[in-house]
Amino acid sequence: MPQIVRRCTSMSEMSLKSIIPILFVRDVPASATFFREQLGFKIDFLYGAPPFYGSVSRDEVRLHLRFVHQPNFAELAAQEDSLILATVEVSDVQRLFEEFKKRGVEFCQAPTKQPWGGTDFHVRDPDGNVISFVTYG
C-alpha cells in the first residue's frame, strides 16, 4: 500500500529563508581578503585563532569559508569546466562583470547566454572554487 504524504495546508506556517554555501579553503583570512578586494564583499566575521571559519557578504548574499588542509573539489574543479560550487543571482550580470574586470578579477568563463535562459560568468577563487554569477531572462 502506498504511503500517504500530507502537505501543510498553509505555507505561512513555515518557510525557507536562505541558503549559505560553505566553501572549503586553505587560508580563511586570505580567502576573505580575496572576496573583499576582488569581488567587493565585506568580511562579516573570522572565527578562531588562527581563523578557521568565516563569513563574507555582499548585499543579500552570504558565503561561509571553512578551513581544510586540501579543498575537496580543487583537483576535480581544475579538470571540469563547469564544476560550480555556488551560484549568485544578480540583477545585472554584465554590469557586475565590468566591475570585476576593473578590479582585475580573472574569469574562467566570460558572460555567456545559456540555452536554459540565463546569462552567467564564472570566477575561480584562490582555492579553485568556481562561483557563477547569473541573471535570468
Side-chain angles (χ1 to χ4, degrees), residues 25-47:
V25 301
R26 291 172 293 212
D27 185 329
V28 171
S31 184
T33 298
F34 166 82
F35 279 94
R36 184 185 67 216
E37 293 178 0
Q38 295 292 298
L39 306 184
F41 282 63
K42 70 176 183 143
I43 299 173
D44 301 315
F45 70 83
L46 299 175
Y47 181 76

Side-chain angles (χ1 to χ4, degrees), residues 14-64:
M14 187 280 308
S15 66
L16 302 178
K17 302 287 275 175
S18 67
I19 187 166
I20 303 172
I22 301 172
L23 301 178
F24 298 134
V25 301
R26 291 172 293 212
D27 185 329
V28 171
S31 184
T33 298
F34 166 82
F35 279 94
R36 184 185 67 216
E37 293 178 0
Q38 295 292 298
L39 306 184
F41 282 63
K42 70 176 183 143
I43 299 173
D44 301 315
F45 70 83
L46 299 175
Y47 181 76
F52 61 87
Y53 201 83
S55 175
V56 295
S57 64
R58 180 169 172 171
D59 302 319
E60 300 300 315
V61 172
R62 183 174 316 275
L63 296 171
H64 282 188

